[in-house]
Amino acid sequence: MDRFVWTSGLLEINETLVIQQRGVRIYDGEEKIKFDAGTLLLSTHRLIWRDQKNHECCMAILLSQIVFIEEQAAGIGKSAKIVVHLHPAPPNKEPGPFQSSKNSYIKLSFKEHGQIEFYRRLSEEMTQRRWENMPVSQSLQTNRGPQPGRIRAVGIVGIERKLEEKRKETDKNISEAFEDLSKLMIKAKEMVELSKSIANKIKDKQGDITEDETIRFKSYLLSMGIANPVTRETYGSGTQYHMQLAKQLAGILQVPLELLSPEDLVNACKMLEALKLPLRLRVFDSGVMVIELQSHKEEEMVASALETVSEKGSLTSEEFAKLVGMSVLLAKERLLLAEKMGHLCRDDSVEGLRFYPNLFMTQS
Amino acid sequence: MAMSFEWPLQPNVDTRQKQLAAWCSLVLSFCRLHKQSSMTVMEAQESPLFNNVKLQRKLPVESIQIVLEELRKKGNLEWLDKSKSSFLIMWRRPEEWGKLIYQWVSRSGQNNSVFTLYELTNGEDTEDEEFHGLDEATLLRALQALQQEHKAEIITVSDGRGVKFF
């Protein structure tokens, strides 16, 4: 109802009356409002409603503000109606009976009949759009509905637009959050480019790597925590790179390495034993990999695990982990190793996996 | 000692061998004690052999099948029907029975004698023998084993079957 503007009710030049009907009530959406008895006039440009009791009360909407119209048949005790769906009110709208309305449509109730004919004529005017060809005074024109080129629709289109705006807002937030990451990625990209160019130079034996490039590269590696950097390509083969890296790892395992790939880390760990470093990589049958001290003897641990299990009769991984004070994952690996060596056997039931001393072997 | 287990068997191969052997031996002991020479799989599932009421643990049918197959491979079990629903269980293999019977026959100097099956298992003369009271199905297979070795021949006698020893 906020689309209506007060008007004198006089027609403008070039504006022609098409049809009028008495006894029309206006609804704001589904709500009954005070405008319950009036004369409804259809012109080439507007829909005008004048109060039957008070002729001073007269308002209008432009036909160009109408999105589409629907008929609502009469029922028992109900008059036939026309539902008029409207574009939103323009910001510079002239004053009218309602400042704002939550509804984007009005209903015209034809209490003294005439709905059918009115609907027909209104549809015609909507189709012909004569108002576009017959310009009227400026005051009417400022109340034009949508500006050309700008879609302002209600209903589904309006909802879609709101969603689009929300999505843009979300995108913006995400972008801001990832600013740091993209800065990091830009730096990484630079590093990759530099690495590639160095690699290519070595490969094609195309001139020397400039001192500048070397310095840049070293500075990148320094920022990752590698004090005396080694480049893959300088050594000509991946495995040697891993060897060197392994040596460094043994020294700097405490320092968080931000940009070291997991594969490189594992490959370096595989070198630990061969290089006689105090740590080594151990891979269990299940695929679990751990780094342990060279001096650690898992097989001996198994013997003590058997003792523990025997004392308690039987144990699950969790129980064993708790008793001995180690992680459940490593506890399980130890029990599985004991089983593999034939010291323990299992009872796998709905209650869980439980390990027993292997009496099959000891008490045949 | 916890002997019940769920599918699958013990993962350690050596342990698994022992585990299976333990089950087989249990089955044979049980059947010998209860003088049961044949069983259906359904009976087996519910019998105290595979259903430990006290522990509320049951051996799943797939595992029972594995144990039975192991017994079959060892010669202690024979399926009585194609659908493998019932089986003959022999706590001694037929060959072993055959050997025992033939030993008795030789010992008592009765080679070239003819016996009815009933005489062998229920006659006075065999009362002290292990094979006394042996069920007919197992006896037949024992004699068939001897037949293979040309030590006996299964024949038809007046009201049934008999055997001639060589």
Side-chain angles (χ1 to χ4, degrees):
Chain A
M1 270 308 295
D2 58 338
R3 280 60 155 180
F4 275 92
V5 297
W6 293 122
T7 180
S8 60
L10 297 171
L11 295 177
E12 303 286 321
I13 299 177
N14 291 333
E15 188 185 4
T16 333
L17 183 66
V18 175
I19 187 174
Q20 68 182 49
Q21 176 63 50
R22 279 173 54 86
V24 177
R25 178 187 199 130
I26 305 185
Y27 288 72
D28 180 14
E30 301 298 320
E31 289 165 37
K32 280 186 182 163
I33 47 181
K34 61 184 179 188
F35 305 112
D36 61 347
T39 306
L40 188 65
L41 296 98
L42 173 65
S43 78
T44 46
H45 292 65
R46 297 179 291 167
L47 205 55
I48 305 168
W49 185 91
R50 183 188 292 121
D51 195 317
Q52 274 164 226
K53 284 174 259 167
N54 173 16
H55 286 232
E56 301 275 317
C57 177
C58 186
M59 53 190 168
I61 50 171
L62 291 171
L63 293 183
S64 53
Q65 279 183 300
I66 298 178
V67 181
F68 73 100
I69 56 174
E70 289 176 292
E71 277 185 281
Q72 212 166 59
I76 298 170
K78 287 189 184 174
S79 316
K81 297 180 180 65
I82 298 177
V83 185
V84 184
H85 295 268
L86 300 161
H87 289 293
N92 53 347
K93 182 181 89 58
E94 305 263 316
F98 284 76
Q99 272 284 67
S100 66
S101 168
K102 64 176 180 359
N103 296 302
S104 63
Y105 65 97
I106 56 163
K107 284 190 178 182
L108 304 165
S109 179
F110 289 77
K111 293 155 80 168
E112 294 177 28
H113 310 289
Q115 177 261 344
I116 295 171
E117 185 62 20
F118 204 98
Y119 183 82
R120 192 176 72 77
R121 303 303 282 267
L122 181 52
S123 305
E124 240 176 57
E125 292 308 313
M126 294 298 303
T127 315
Q128 288 177 15
R129 303 175 81 87
R130 284 193 278 180
W131 68 83
E132 283 175 359
N133 303 325
M134 298 189 294
V136 289
S137 76
Q138 215 35 47
S139 64
L140 284 187
Q141 280 186 342
T142 52
N143 280 329
R144 236 194 339 234
Q147 306 300 317
R150 209 166 124 226
I151 302 163
R152 285 176 45 175
V154 297
I156 291 175
V157 179
I159 293 171
E160 278 179 348
R161 207 158 42 82
K162 280 201 186 96
L163 285 173
E164 176 67 26
E165 275 166 16
K166 199 170 181 191
R167 189 192 65 76
K168 279 188 183 141
E169 184 66 37
T170 312
D171 273 350
K172 183 160 158 283
N173 290 338
I174 290 174
S175 299
E176 278 166 7
F178 276 92
E179 238 173 50
D180 285 340
L181 184 62
S182 53
K183 278 187 190 141
L184 185 66
M185 283 173 66
I186 289 168
K187 189 158 190 191
K189 192 168 173 221
E190 282 171 14
M191 278 191 69
V192 169
E193 293 301 333
L194 183 59
S195 315
K196 277 188 188 164
S197 116
I198 292 176
N200 285 332
K201 281 191 180 176
I202 293 173
K203 202 171 72 164
D204 304 342
K205 294 187 172 57
Q206 242 175 42
D208 298 322
I209 302 166
T210 69
E211 195 177 329
D212 177 54
E213 284 169 329
T214 312
I215 289 170
R216 272 175 68 200
F217 202 88
K218 280 192 179 178
S219 83
Y220 284 138
L221 292 176
L222 257 171
S223 70
M224 293 199 308
I226 298 179
N228 191 11
V230 170
T231 70
R232 233 185 232 266
E233 277 67 31
T234 342
Y235 277 78
S237 92
T239 50
Q240 282 182 299
Y241 165 72
H242 289 129
M243 278 168 70
Q244 296 302 319
L245 194 54
K247 287 182 181 158
Q248 295 192 346
L249 269 172
I252 56 163
L253 219 56
Q254 305 308 312
V255 178
L257 298 168
E258 295 159 34
L259 288 179
L260 190 62
S261 79
E263 291 86 21
D264 278 341
L265 183 61
V266 170
N267 287 331
C269 288
K270 286 178 182 167
M271 300 276 153
L272 286 167
E273 193 159 4
L275 295 173
K276 308 233 189 305
L277 294 162
L279 300 174
R280 69 169 161 220
L281 179 72
R282 188 191 188 100
V283 185
F284 287 101
D285 290 343
S286 61
V288 167
M289 295 193 233
V290 298
I291 295 178
E292 59 183 19
L293 288 174
Q294 269 287 6
S295 53
H296 181 90
K297 303 244 182 298
E298 187 66 15
E299 283 71 15
E300 283 172 6
M301 296 290 120
V302 162
S304 93
L306 173 59
E307 261 186 60
T308 314
V309 174
S310 304
E311 267 171 48
K312 300 288 176 186
S314 72
L315 287 173
T316 63
S317 313
E318 291 81 10
E319 289 165 354
F320 181 64
K322 223 172 183 175
L323 264 174
V324 177
M326 64 195 298
S327 77
V328 177
L329 183 64
L330 292 180
K332 188 165 186 188
E333 290 302 329
R334 185 165 295 170
L335 293 174
L336 287 173
L337 183 60
E339 182 188 44
K340 187 175 171 186
M341 291 168 70
H343 299 306
L344 296 176
C345 64
R346 65 168 59 192
D347 186 11
D348 206 349
S349 71
V350 289
E351 290 155 26
L353 176 58
R354 197 162 267 283
F355 289 91
Y356 288 80
N358 189 357
L359 297 178
F360 284 114
M361 298 308 257
T362 56
Q363 281 185 22
S364 17
Chain B
M1 178 173 158
M3 299 240 326
S4 49
F5 61 93
E6 300 279 313
W7 179 258
L9 300 167
Q10 293 289 331
N12 181 315
V13 173
D14 296 325
T15 313
R16 176 156 69 238
Q17 299 284 55
K18 295 276 178 176
Q19 182 188 37
L20 261 181
W23 273 113
C24 288
S25 140
L26 186 70
V27 171
L28 294 178
S29 302
F30 181 89
C31 290
R32 177 181 180 178
L33 187 68
H34 290 87
K35 296 203 191 312
Q36 228 171 326
S37 58
S38 66
M39 232 189 215
T40 65
V41 175
M42 288 188 67
E43 279 172 351
Q45 276 180 278
E46 296 306 317
S47 91
L49 188 54
F50 296 119
N51 181 4
N52 189 322
V53 178
K54 190 162 153 220
L55 285 181
Q56 296 253 359
R57 295 284 289 273
K58 259 182 166 181
L59 197 61
V61 69
E62 298 87 2
S63 305
I64 296 178
Q65 301 281 15
I66 291 179
V67 175
L68 297 179
E69 173 60 16
E70 187 70 15
L71 284 165
R72 188 198 65 79
K73 280 193 228 169
K74 287 164 71 161
N76 293 100
L77 183 146
E78 197 182 297
W79 291 109
L80 291 172
D81 62 332
K82 267 211 172 89
S83 56
K84 294 198 182 174
S85 64
S86 68
F87 54 91
L88 186 68
I89 188 83
M90 303 165 279
W91 64 272
R92 260 214 180 88
R93 289 183 2 258
E95 297 78 15
E96 289 166 359
W97 283 123
K99 199 167 167 190
L100 276 175
I101 294 171
Y102 193 76
Q103 276 172 359
W104 173 77
V105 165
S106 303
R107 256 200 336 264
S108 54
Q110 299 188 73
N111 302 61
N112 295 309
S113 318
V114 173
F115 298 86
T116 63
L117 297 190
Y118 185 81
E119 271 180 299
L120 270 179
T121 55
N122 294 83
E124 275 178 8
D125 294 340
T126 64
E127 263 172 17
D128 296 330
E129 299 307 310
E130 278 196 59
F131 55 84
H132 188 88
L134 192 64
D135 65 284
E136 190 169 307
T138 307
L139 176 64
L140 257 175
R141 281 157 179 81
L143 297 175
Q144 276 162 354
L146 283 176
Q147 192 165 253
Q148 295 257 14
E149 294 171 52
H150 306 291
K151 289 183 174 161
E153 189 186 327
I154 300 169
I155 54 178
T156 330
V157 293
S158 47
D159 55 350
R161 274 182 290 197
V163 57
K164 180 173 180 180
F165 292 100
F166 302 118

